[in-house]
Amino acid sequence: MAERRRHNALLITMAFVYALKSLKNKKRYIGSTDLTPEERLKKHNYGSNKFTKRNRPFVLVYKEECATKTEARKRENFLKSGAGRRYLDDVLKNR
Protein backbone atom coordinates (compact mmCIF):
# COMPACT_ATOMS: atom_id res chain seq x y z
CA MET A 1 0.00 0.00 0.00
CA ALA A 2 1.04 3.58 -0.45
CA GLU A 3 2.58 5.40 2.47
CA ARG A 4 0.17 6.11 5.28
CA ARG A 5 0.92 8.82 7.81
CA ARG A 6 -0.75 9.89 11.06
CA HIS A 7 -1.20 13.61 11.52
CA ASN A 8 -3.15 14.90 14.51
CA ALA A 9 -4.91 11.52 14.89
CA LEU A 10 -6.09 11.52 11.26
CA LEU A 11 -4.96 8.79 8.91
CA ILE A 12 -3.89 10.26 5.58
CA THR A 13 -3.72 7.87 2.64
CA MET A 14 -1.84 8.96 -0.45
CA ALA A 15 -2.92 8.01 -3.93
CA PHE A 16 -1.11 8.24 -7.24
CA VAL A 17 -1.79 8.82 -10.91
CA TYR A 18 0.73 7.25 -13.27
CA ALA A 19 1.60 6.67 -16.91
CA LEU A 20 3.08 3.50 -18.34
CA LYS A 21 4.64 3.00 -21.77
CA SER A 22 4.55 -0.32 -23.58
CA LEU A 23 7.93 -1.63 -24.69
CA LYS A 24 6.07 -3.83 -27.16
CA ASN A 25 4.28 -1.15 -29.19
CA LYS A 26 4.89 2.23 -27.45
CA LYS A 27 1.23 2.56 -26.36
CA ARG A 28 0.58 4.57 -23.21
CA TYR A 29 -1.58 3.55 -20.27
CA ILE A 30 -2.82 6.06 -17.65
CA GLY A 31 -4.09 4.88 -14.28
CA SER A 32 -4.59 5.80 -10.63
CA THR A 33 -3.96 3.70 -7.56
CA ASP A 34 -3.57 3.65 -3.80
CA LEU A 35 -0.56 1.36 -4.25
CA THR A 36 2.79 2.84 -5.19
CA PRO A 37 3.13 3.20 -8.96
CA GLU A 38 6.04 0.73 -8.84
CA GLU A 39 3.85 -1.89 -7.15
CA ARG A 40 1.06 -1.28 -9.65
CA LEU A 41 3.54 -1.61 -12.54
CA LYS A 42 4.47 -5.10 -11.32
CA LYS A 43 0.80 -6.09 -11.36
CA HIS A 44 0.31 -4.71 -14.87
CA ASN A 45 3.37 -6.57 -16.14
CA TYR A 46 2.05 -9.74 -14.51
CA GLY A 47 -1.17 -9.38 -16.54
CA SER A 48 -3.73 -8.07 -14.05
CA ASN A 49 -5.47 -5.82 -16.60
CA LYS A 50 -6.90 -6.78 -19.99
CA PHE A 51 -5.27 -3.87 -21.89
CA THR A 52 -1.88 -4.13 -20.23
CA LYS A 53 -1.85 -7.92 -20.51
CA ARG A 54 -1.96 -7.63 -24.33
CA ASN A 55 0.60 -4.83 -24.51
CA ARG A 56 3.16 -5.76 -21.88
CA PRO A 57 5.89 -5.29 -20.82
CA PHE A 58 5.50 -1.73 -19.55
CA VAL A 59 7.80 0.81 -17.94
CA LEU A 60 6.77 3.61 -15.61
CA VAL A 61 7.30 6.95 -17.36
CA TYR A 62 5.36 9.38 -15.14
CA LYS A 63 3.81 9.58 -11.67
CA GLU A 64 2.12 12.18 -9.48
CA GLU A 65 1.23 11.94 -5.81
CA CYS A 66 -2.29 13.05 -4.85
CA ALA A 67 -3.85 13.62 -1.44
CA THR A 68 -6.91 11.43 -2.06
CA LYS A 69 -8.16 8.70 -4.38
CA THR A 70 -10.78 11.15 -5.68
CA GLU A 71 -8.11 13.70 -6.57
CA ALA A 72 -6.04 10.98 -8.29
CA ARG A 73 -9.06 9.82 -10.30
CA LYS A 74 -9.81 13.40 -11.43
CA ARG A 75 -6.18 13.86 -12.49
CA GLU A 76 -6.29 10.51 -14.32
CA ASN A 77 -9.37 11.65 -16.24
CA PHE A 78 -7.60 14.90 -17.16
CA LEU A 79 -4.48 13.08 -18.40
CA LYS A 80 -6.73 10.92 -20.60
CA SER A 81 -8.30 14.03 -22.20
CA GLY A 82 -6.90 15.80 -25.25
CA ALA A 83 -5.40 18.62 -23.16
CA GLY A 84 -4.03 16.11 -20.67
CA ARG A 85 -2.39 14.01 -23.40
CA ARG A 86 -0.72 17.15 -24.80
CA TYR A 87 0.44 18.12 -21.30
CA LEU A 88 1.91 14.66 -20.71
CA ASP A 89 3.55 14.66 -24.16
CA ASP A 90 5.27 17.96 -23.29
CA VAL A 91 6.39 16.76 -19.85
CA LEU A 92 7.79 13.51 -21.22
CA LYS A 93 9.46 15.22 -24.18
CA ASN A 94 11.38 17.52 -21.83
CA ARG A 95 12.88 14.68 -19.75
Side-chain angles (χ1 to χ4, degrees), residues 22-71:
S22 170
L23 296 176
K24 178 180 179 182
N25 55 24
K26 308 299 184 212
K27 289 186 178 185
R28 191 159 58 197
Y29 178 87
I30 309 292
S32 59
T33 184
D34 60 349
L35 301 173
T36 65
E38 293 79 10
E39 290 174 298
R40 192 65 184 109
L41 172 63
K42 288 178 189 175
K43 291 182 179 252
H44 282 298
N45 280 331
Y46 183 72
S48 67
N49 173 291
K50 192 175 183 178
F51 174 82
T52 56
K53 186 175 188 174
R54 291 189 314 260
N55 297 289
R56 64 187 169 178
F58 281 85
V59 292
L60 181 65
V61 294
Y62 182 79
K63 65 182 176 181
E64 286 181 23
E65 189 172 321
C66 300
T68 65
K69 290 181 190 180
T70 301
E71 183 184 318

Side-chain angles (χ1 to χ4, degrees), residues 11 32 59 71 76 80 82 86-87:
L11 185 62
S32 59
V59 292
E71 183 184 318
E76 174 188 357
K80 289 178 176 179
R86 287 188 296 277
Y87 166 80

